[in-house]
Amino acid sequence: MTQYDAPNRDLTFVLHEVLKVGESDIPGYGDLDPALTGAVLEEAGKIARDILAPLNATGDREGCTLENGAVRTPDGFKAAFAAVKEGGWPALDCDPAYGGQGMPYVLATAVGEIFVASNMAFNMYQGLTHGAYSAIHVHGSDDQKATYLPKLVSCDWTGTMNLTEPHCGTDLGQIRTKAEPQADGSYRITGTKIFISAGDHDLAENIIHLVLAKAPGGGEGTKGISLFIVPKFLVKSDGSLGARNGVSVGKVEEKMGIHGNATCVLNYDGATGYLLGELHKGMRAMFTMMNEARIGVGVQGYAVAVAAYQNAVAYANERLQGRAVTGPANPKGPADPLIVHPDIRRALMDQKSFIEGARALTLWGASLIDASHRKGDAAADGLISLLTPVIKGFQTDKGFDSTVQAQQIFGGHGYIEDTGMSQFVRDARITMIYEGANGVQALDLVGRKLAQDGGKPIMAFFEMVKTFIKENEGDERLKADFLEPLKLGSKDLQAAAMFFMERGMKDPNAALAGSYDFMHLFGHVALGLMWGRMAKAALAALDAGADDPAFYRTKLATGRYYMARQLPATGMHLARIRSGAEPVMALSAGAF
Amino acid sequence: MTQYDAPNRDLTFVLHEVLKVGESDIPGYGDLDPALTGAVLEEAGKIARDILAPLNATGDREGCTLENGAVRTPDGFKAAFAAVKEGGWPALDCDPAYGGQGMPYVLATAVGEIFVASNMAFNMYQGLTHGAYSAIHVHGSDDQKATYLPKLVSCDWTGTMNLTEPHCGTDLGQIRTKAEPQADGSYRITGTKIFISAGDHDLAENIIHLVLAKAPGGGEGTKGISLFIVPKFLVKSDGSLGARNGVSVGKVEEKMGIHGNATCVLNYDGATGYLLGELHKGMRAMFTMMNEARIGVGVQGYAVAVAAYQNAVAYANERLQGRAVTGPANPKGPADPLIVHPDIRRALMDQKSFIEGARALTLWGASLIDASHRKGDAAADGLISLLTPVIKGFQTDKGFDSTVQAQQIFGGHGYIEDTGMSQFVRDARITMIYEGANGVQALDLVGRKLAQDGGKPIMAFFEMVKTFIKENEGDERLKADFLEPLKLGSKDLQAAAMFFMERGMKDPNAALAGSYDFMHLFGHVALGLMWGRMAKAALAALDAGADDPAFYRTKLATGRYYMARQLPATGMHLARIRSGAEPVMALSAGAF
């Protein structure tokens, strides 16, 4: 049995001491005082600890089953979903015009970490619903908004994203699902979609599928794609539910993990669909969901690692095995706890320093989204667009590694399903794959985001690092431990970007061969910047005579670990990038 | 459904062109001509492809079940085990005095790779048996040898290793299983052992458990431990089976992977046991098994990665998704195969270059064991003792990463159990844990093996690298691509060893905090040396006008990839090591 306690002190540190949300001029941030955020996080933590975490193993063990065409979720999921709805959690950052609470996205993201960490598979039901809400909120007609948004905000209805088909995932230009226009303005949708998370279940009255399909006249490839709203049950004009629509569950997939979430094959057989947004511009509308989902997956990447880490720490403190090399730490016991051993600490510090850095990066990213949405800050929008593939790709890769390290601390016991550590690893594995496999994130970063807007966002990022270093160089406590490693890492990142610019023009393969390394290099520098900011905030608190100096000293030590032992990866990534396309592309396809 | 083809061309390349086994003066190596090894590997490959690989998914799906106190293996395992026995495979490198074929261990290791790759869980039944055979062969009395060895050589009986107890794994000094001496010279064994691979099953008439237990008078800790032979069925003086012994299966564990192998809790309740080797010197006897098992796990580390890689290559060639950035490669099709994309190639080259390097290192290691056993070569013995934790720890970490990368190429399909890629990952995960978790391997390497014999083995390794570089510097085809990166890597490794020597005396934590990085640093340099040797052999073949130049050119390109894109990790590991103990040990146990 695993345990989970929401890390609210760490979350409020990032919100209030690093990002200083209460002092921000982003509309709505003024309300975010420590009393409010503290109360929200505490309530979320209670639900996570008391309701969601205890169901995590149940979900894994029972999985979802297809019975007479309908999906049954694991025991206890219904009651838990009702409790989450009852608490108004799905509505947290939704538009008050549709029943939402209108809180900033940054707070919803902090709550999201807590819910995901306690039960990732369960939380996907509301996570996907939020994505559908956003797509309809941005692209829907007034009628569509009035019909669907209140029900999605309350999670009386849930949502899904339908992109993938058996023969194509990333390459959506190949989709075959058809949309035939009807006289009444609706469309008849026919085709097969696969890997539909929360595709069917027994938690909600209705499910609103957002489906990519090709309507006539749009041309080849992604240009011909439109997005459609396809409800499981048709909605009558009075808002009540009508007939079952022509969509059925073909299969529930057997997966490596996230068993508590139903991954469905959905068959659309002349189902009634309603165009969402403009005809033939479905990719744009879908990207509203995708970008949000990518940040959400970035949260999953580190949140599951948080839960795994907490259990690894508990085990390392309890399990008596061997003696400290410097002399017994527990002389009266039969052995010392695992945590005395340097290599166990290395593994725990790797996890801790990554998790806390990723949390800061993610919440900063969420505040950039708020700045973009709530005050139309174009620079913030460009920056989060650049950072999204990093948050998704880097954090899920490292998050998976982190859960594997946590499992490793349990030795053989970690491999046994009983301890729950295997589930964390199996669940975390999907985050590297869905919402655009991490290779696709790297391609997006190097092939699209670097050059975006004439390179403004990446230049702004470099400028931000430079300014931070310059402004704080006078503080000797930051200089050697934080600023110098950050400067070196940032130099490596700039050198890599320069390499792509010089080589990529002539040989695009040279840039793409290094894209994955660039994503990791960027991730390390971004976390280095976050650690610099966190260290600065911790020193400020200590200087101000904070009540809990131990908390801040721990923060500083954790940051020093990241800078000393994780940032040196940047040199390796740069060397790999600089080796160019030749080593990668040397073989013919048949020679592998 | 996965596929597997034994990579016999690659295996014979290492055996005959790199290690040149036929020309070696190790007794028995003279018989290893290409005709013999080719025939053996071809037969092994047939069994792997036709019998073992098709059962791999069955084993995972069905697992082992405990029914009325006896373990039932998955459907088809009995027939497959009979076929393996029928072919005499378990006897391959065993002593002819007991029915073995007396072939060198290096050939058995090559065959082992094939069997493990095709069905890791299944192959453990004979793998553990071989360990028991070796322990009895080295430490048993003549009577014990006569009683047990012929049956273990034929696999009519199988073997197990019993070390772990619920409260202790690595720290064997804590074991509580008791051995009470009886008047007839036997012992009564009482206690509980857990995580016993192949602990019970229906594949053999009898199971010979080798059990660590404490007999009176041995003192505290590991000093009091002895090793006992505890047969499942007692063996009568005529060799026939007698009464059931007092050992029973408490449980079959639910694990993350290797479901086809029964991991048992075994309860010893006054079971009859026979002392193996000297009283109170059980650890030494057990290490005969352990060292062999560690090499065996090192084989598993890369062998499962081979199977995963082969399937990833097939998928990358079949799956049509996107277009090559340099223009369509499959203009008549709806899209290009995945393998055109640089990042897919990066992932495949990472796997391929690791796998082939690990294969060479492992077979070289096996030849060192042969040199030690067959001609008493003390230097070879010292070297393999040093390399064992590297082969076990580095290769299983990288092997796991490699299977994860293979799974990643399948995108969402890799996460669905149907494709079999999840099984490879789940199976591979245990290799990082059992036979000494990889942190323990790193501790063994830095805390014991580095200083072993006054540092002779590590100095011999450095000398070997230096000599190789010096002898081949005149060849421009090797110099920049192979020798220079190897020199840099080796310099990093020496600097790390020097750091440990200087710091470790005063502060053992400084060495241990860097032990894991040192293991990886060493692994990279060892694989770099192997790639240097393979490149040299490939060039020699090309110079000699070999029939299949494409094979050798592929080998060179794969090696160049390893040197350019994997070896740069050494600098990162050195930087981490040099940061010392402080970042790792800074926090109090309660601050995590």
Side-chain angles (χ1 to χ4, degrees):
Chain A
M1 266 298 294
T2 58
Q3 47 187 300
Y4 173 71
D5 278 304
N8 289 349
R9 183 68 187 87
D10 291 291
L11 283 162
T12 53
F13 169 71
V14 175
L15 291 174
H16 295 291
E17 300 178 66
V18 182
L19 301 177
K20 299 188 173 150
V21 290
E23 302 167 25
S24 162
D25 65 349
I26 300 171
Y29 271 46
D31 300 338
L32 296 179
D33 59 26
L36 174 75
T37 59
V40 168
L41 295 177
E42 199 185 321
E43 281 309 307
K46 276 188 201 158
I47 290 189
R49 186 190 62 219
D50 300 338
I51 299 179
L52 306 186
L55 272 184
N56 198 35
T58 312
D60 187 56
R61 203 171 48 243
E62 291 188 13
C64 295
T65 42
L66 184 59
E67 291 170 5
N68 304 319
V71 172
R72 196 162 63 77
T73 57
D75 254 12
F77 270 42
K78 267 190 189 174
F81 202 70
V84 168
K85 281 169 60 177
E86 173 72 24
W89 294 103
L92 194 66
D93 66 330
C94 294
D95 187 344
Y98 304 100
Q101 297 176 39
M103 301 297 290
Y105 181 64
V106 74
L107 183 60
T109 303
V111 169
E113 177 194 316
I114 295 173
F115 285 175
V116 169
S118 61
N119 197 326
M120 175 171 150
F122 175 86
N123 199 60
M124 289 169 66
Y125 293 102
Q126 59 161 314
L128 271 301
T129 305
H130 195 284
Y133 156 84
S134 296
I136 296 175
H137 192 256
V138 174
H139 301 282
S141 66
D142 289 346
D143 256 16
Q144 287 171 338
K145 291 191 203 180
T147 304
Y148 300 106
L149 293 185
K151 294 292 194 178
L152 291 171
V153 166
S154 64
C155 267
D156 287 333
W157 300 352
T158 64
T160 71
M161 296 170 68
N162 291 239
L163 289 78
T164 305
E165 299 184 4
H167 64 292
C168 69
T170 303
D171 186 5
L172 290 169
Q174 292 190 61
I175 67 170
R176 293 176 190 152
T177 297
K178 275 186 201 157
E180 300 161 276
Q182 304 298 299
D184 66 355
S186 72
Y187 289 77
R188 282 172 62 87
I189 310 291
T190 303
T192 299
K193 294 289 182 177
I194 66 170
F195 300 160
I196 308 310
S197 295
D200 195 55
H201 55 80
D202 50 10
L203 303 177
E205 300 156 11
N206 202 4
I207 301 176
I208 309 306
H209 303 295
L210 297 195
V211 183
L212 288 186
K214 288 193 172 173
E220 289 296 300
T222 54
K223 286 189 298 288
I225 294 177
S226 307
L227 184 60
F228 298 89
I229 297 173
V230 185
K232 177 178 173 181
F233 291 98
L234 293 170
V235 183
K236 294 187 201 163
S237 54
D238 65 355
S240 66
L241 297 185
R244 179 77 192 248
N245 203 351
V247 49
S248 59
V249 183
K251 189 183 180 187
V252 173
E253 303 283 3
E254 294 274 353
K255 309 185 297 291
M256 185 176 181
I258 52 166
H259 296 158
N261 198 279
T263 305
C264 298
V265 173
L266 291 184
N267 295 318
Y268 292 87
D269 188 11
T272 300
Y274 310 100
L275 182 67
L276 177 61
E278 287 181 65
L279 189 67
H280 306 318
K281 294 196 173 153
M283 291 302 286
R284 215 172 66 189
M286 186 50 89
F287 262 99
T288 302
M289 282 185 90
M290 282 291 280
N291 281 330
E292 178 177 320
R294 286 175 176 182
I295 300 289
V297 176
V299 171
Q300 292 179 332
Y302 80 87
V304 176
V306 170
Y309 165 76
Q310 289 187 358
N311 287 279
V313 169
Y315 191 79
N317 274 305
E318 283 159 25
R319 175 82 170 174
L320 303 180
Q321 208 77 179
R323 290 291 185 191
V325 68
T326 48
N330 174 35
K332 289 184 184 157
D336 291 344
L338 281 180
I339 204 161
V340 304
H341 302 300
D343 190 61
I344 296 289
R345 279 171 176 265
R346 170 201 57 82
L348 290 175
M349 291 300 290
D350 272 353
Q351 295 166 57
K352 182 174 171 64
S353 65
F354 157 68
I355 286 163
E356 295 182 13
R359 174 182 293 129
L361 179 61
T362 305
L363 292 177
W364 178 45
S367 77
L368 292 172
I369 291 174
D370 280 328
S372 164
H373 291 179
R374 289 173 174 250
K375 61 169 199 170
D377 182 336
D381 191 60
L383 202 49
I384 187 58
S385 171
L386 174 72
L387 289 171
T388 296
V390 178
I391 289 174
K392 196 283 182 183
F394 175 74
Q395 290 187 183
T396 57
D397 277 358
K398 294 282 291 180
F400 176 71
D401 289 348
S402 195
T403 60
V404 169
Q405 291 212 49
Q407 181 189 30
Q408 186 73 13
I409 286 174
F410 280 70
H413 297 274
Y415 199 67
I416 305 299
E417 292 291 353
D418 281 353
T419 57
M421 300 307 288
S422 163
Q423 185 189 351
F424 290 137
V425 172
R426 291 184 289 97
D427 285 358
R429 183 65 185 92
I430 190 59
T431 64
M432 297 156 70
I433 299 171
Y434 62 15
E435 307 310 341
N438 286 356
V440 175
Q441 302 298 326
L443 177 66
D444 178 47
L445 176 63
V446 169
R448 203 172 300 142
K449 300 295 178 65
L450 269 190
Q452 174 182 296
D453 205 6
K456 257 191 210 163
I458 183 77
M459 297 314 293
F461 178 80
F462 286 135
E463 195 54 40
M464 197 172 277
V465 172
K466 205 172 132 187
T467 305
F468 179 79
I469 293 171
K470 209 167 170 186
E471 282 177 2
N472 296 287
E473 256 169 351
D475 192 335
E476 285 301 323
R477 299 169 303 178
L478 288 173
K479 202 169 177 209
D481 290 345
F482 291 91
L483 304 181
E484 280 169 17
L486 178 58
K487 196 186 272 181
L488 285 174
S490 177
K491 220 175 106 186
D492 286 343
L493 186 63
Q494 291 184 53
M498 192 62 71
F499 177 84
F500 291 156
M501 283 206 277
E502 286 169 1
R503 286 285 193 87
M505 302 291 180
K506 283 169 282 182
D507 177 12
N509 281 337
L512 299 185
S515 58
Y516 212 89
D517 284 282
F518 188 81
M519 181 172 76
H520 276 254
L521 209 178
F522 202 154
H524 280 298
V525 176
L527 259 59
L529 175 62
M530 292 301 115
W531 271 117
R533 288 185 182 168
M534 288 194 280
K536 185 180 175 171
L539 288 169
L542 287 169
D543 289 347
D547 289 342
D548 47 355
F551 172 81
Y552 297 103
R553 281 192 217 109
T554 296
K555 207 50 90 181
L556 286 165
T558 308
R560 278 193 290 264
Y561 182 93
Y562 196 88
M563 305 312 278
R565 294 182 62 103
Q566 300 266 23
L567 264 193
T570 61
M572 175 187 72
H573 291 301
L574 177 60
R576 288 174 60 104
I577 289 165
R578 279 187 169 151
S579 71
E582 204 281 327
V584 174
M585 304 302 288
L587 299 187
S588 67
F592 279 91
Chain B
M1 266 299 292
T2 58
Q3 48 186 301
Y4 173 71
D5 278 304
N8 290 350
R9 183 68 187 86
D10 291 290
L11 284 161
T12 53
F13 169 71
V14 174
L15 290 174
H16 295 291
E17 301 178 64
V18 182
L19 301 177
K20 298 186 173 147
V21 290
E23 301 166 26
S24 163
D25 65 349
I26 300 172
Y29 271 46
D31 300 337
L32 296 179
D33 59 26
L36 174 74
T37 59
V40 169
L41 295 177
E42 198 185 320
E43 282 308 308
K46 275 187 202 157
I47 291 190
R49 187 190 60 218
D50 300 338
I51 299 179
L52 305 186
L55 271 184
N56 197 36
T58 311
D60 185 57
R61 203 172 47 240
E62 290 186 14
C64 295
T65 43
L66 184 59
E67 290 170 6
N68 304 319
V71 172
R72 196 161 64 75
T73 56
D75 255 11
F77 270 42
K78 269 190 189 174
F81 203 69
V84 168
K85 281 170 59 177
E86 172 73 22
W89 294 102
L92 193 66
D93 65 331
C94 294
D95 188 343
Y98 304 100
Q101 298 176 36
M103 301 298 289
Y105 181 64
V106 72
L107 183 60
T109 303
V111 169
E113 177 195 314
I114 295 172
F115 286 174
V116 169
S118 61
N119 197 327
M120 173 172 152
F122 175 86
N123 198 61
M124 290 170 65
Y125 292 102
Q126 61 161 315
L128 272 302
T129 305
H130 195 283
Y133 156 85
S134 295
I136 296 174
H137 193 256
V138 174
H139 302 281
S141 66
D142 289 345
D143 257 15
Q144 288 172 336
K145 290 191 205 180
T147 304
Y148 300 106
L149 293 186
K151 294 292 194 178
L152 290 172
V153 166
S154 65
C155 268
D156 286 334
W157 301 351
T158 64
T160 71
M161 298 171 67
N162 291 239
L163 290 77
T164 305
E165 299 185 5
H167 63 293
C168 71
T170 303
D171 186 4
L172 290 169
Q174 293 189 62
I175 68 168
R176 294 175 191 152
T177 298
K178 276 185 200 157
E180 299 162 277
Q182 304 298 301
D184 65 356
S186 72
Y187 290 78
R188 283 172 63 86
I189 311 291
T190 303
T192 299
K193 294 289 182 179
I194 66 170
F195 301 159
I196 309 310
S197 295
D200 195 56
H201 55 79
D202 51 10
L203 303 178
E205 299 156 11
N206 202 4
I207 301 176
I208 308 306
H209 303 295
L210 296 195
V211 183
L212 288 185
K214 287 190 172 177
E220 290 296 300
T222 53
K223 285 190 297 290
I225 293 177
S226 306
L227 184 60
F228 298 90
I229 298 173
V230 186
K232 176 177 173 181
F233 290 98
L234 293 170
V235 182
K236 294 187 201 163
S237 55
D238 66 354
S240 66
L241 297 186
R244 178 76 192 246
N245 203 350
V247 48
S248 59
V249 183
K251 189 185 179 186
V252 174
E253 303 284 3
E254 293 273 354
K255 308 185 297 292
M256 187 175 179
I258 52 164
H259 297 158
N261 198 280
T263 304
C264 298
V265 174
L266 291 184
N267 295 317
Y268 292 87
D269 189 13
T272 300
Y274 310 100
L275 182 67
L276 176 62
E278 287 181 67
L279 189 66
H280 306 319
K281 295 198 172 154
M283 290 301 285
R284 216 173 62 187
M286 187 49 90
F287 263 99
T288 302
M289 284 186 88
M290 282 292 280
N291 281 330
E292 178 177 321
R294 285 173 179 184
I295 300 289
V297 176
V299 172
Q300 293 179 333
Y302 79 88
V304 176
V306 171
Y309 165 76
Q310 289 188 357
N311 286 279
V313 169
Y315 191 78
N317 275 306
E318 283 158 26
R319 176 81 169 174
L320 303 180
Q321 208 77 179
R323 290 291 184 190
V325 67
T326 47
N330 174 33
K332 287 182 186 158
D336 290 344
L338 281 179
I339 204 160
V340 303
H341 302 300
D343 190 61
I344 295 290
R345 281 173 174 263
R346 170 202 58 81
L348 291 175
M349 291 300 291
D350 272 354
Q351 295 166 57
K352 181 175 172 65
S353 64
F354 157 68
I355 286 163
E356 296 181 14
R359 174 181 294 128
L361 178 62
T362 305
L363 293 177
W364 178 45
S367 76
L368 293 171
I369 291 174
D370 279 327
S372 164
H373 291 180
R374 289 174 174 251
K375 60 170 204 173
D377 181 336
D381 191 60
L383 203 48
I384 188 57
S385 172
L386 175 72
L387 290 172
T388 295
V390 178
I391 289 173
K392 197 282 183 183
F394 175 75
Q395 290 187 183
T396 58
D397 277 0
K398 294 282 291 182
F400 176 72
D401 288 349
S402 195
T403 59
V404 169
Q405 288 212 50
Q407 181 189 30
Q408 186 75 12
I409 286 174
F410 281 70
H413 297 274
Y415 198 66
I416 304 300
E417 292 291 353
D418 282 351
T419 58
M421 300 308 288
S422 163
Q423 185 189 352
F424 289 136
V425 172
R426 290 184 290 97
D427 285 357
R429 183 67 185 88
I430 189 60
T431 64
M432 298 157 69
I433 299 171
Y434 62 14
E435 305 311 339
N438 286 356
V440 174
Q441 303 299 326
L443 178 65
D444 177 48
L445 176 64
V446 169
R448 202 173 300 142
K449 301 295 177 67
L450 268 190
Q452 175 181 296
D453 205 5
K456 258 193 212 162
I458 183 78
M459 297 314 293
F461 178 80
F462 287 134
E463 195 54 40
M464 197 171 280
V465 172
K466 206 172 130 186
T467 306
F468 179 79
I469 293 170
K470 209 168 169 186
E471 282 177 0
N472 296 287
E473 256 170 350
D475 191 335
E476 286 300 325
R477 297 169 304 177
L478 287 173
K479 201 167 179 211
D481 291 344
F482 291 91
L483 305 181
E484 281 169 15
L486 177 60
K487 195 185 274 182
L488 285 175
S490 178
K491 220 175 107 187
D492 286 343
L493 185 64
Q494 291 185 54
M498 192 62 71
F499 176 86
F500 290 155
M501 283 207 277
E502 286 168 1
R503 287 285 195 86
M505 302 291 181
K506 285 168 282 185
D507 178 10
N509 281 338
L512 299 184
S515 57
Y516 212 89
D517 284 283
F518 189 80
M519 181 172 76
H520 276 255
L521 209 177
F522 203 154
H524 280 297
V525 176
L527 260 57
L529 175 61
M530 292 302 116
W531 271 117
R533 288 185 182 168
M534 288 194 279
K536 186 181 172 170
L539 287 169
L542 287 169
D543 289 348
D547 288 342
D548 48 355
F551 172 81
Y552 296 103
R553 281 193 217 109
T554 296
K555 207 51 88 182
L556 286 165
T558 308
R560 278 194 289 264
Y561 183 94
Y562 195 88
M563 306 311 279
R565 295 182 62 104
Q566 300 268 24
L567 264 193
T570 61
M572 176 187 71
H573 291 301
L574 178 60
R576 287 174 60 106
I577 289 166
R578 280 187 167 151
S579 71
E582 204 281 329
V584 174
M585 304 302 288
L587 299 188
S588 67
F592 279 90

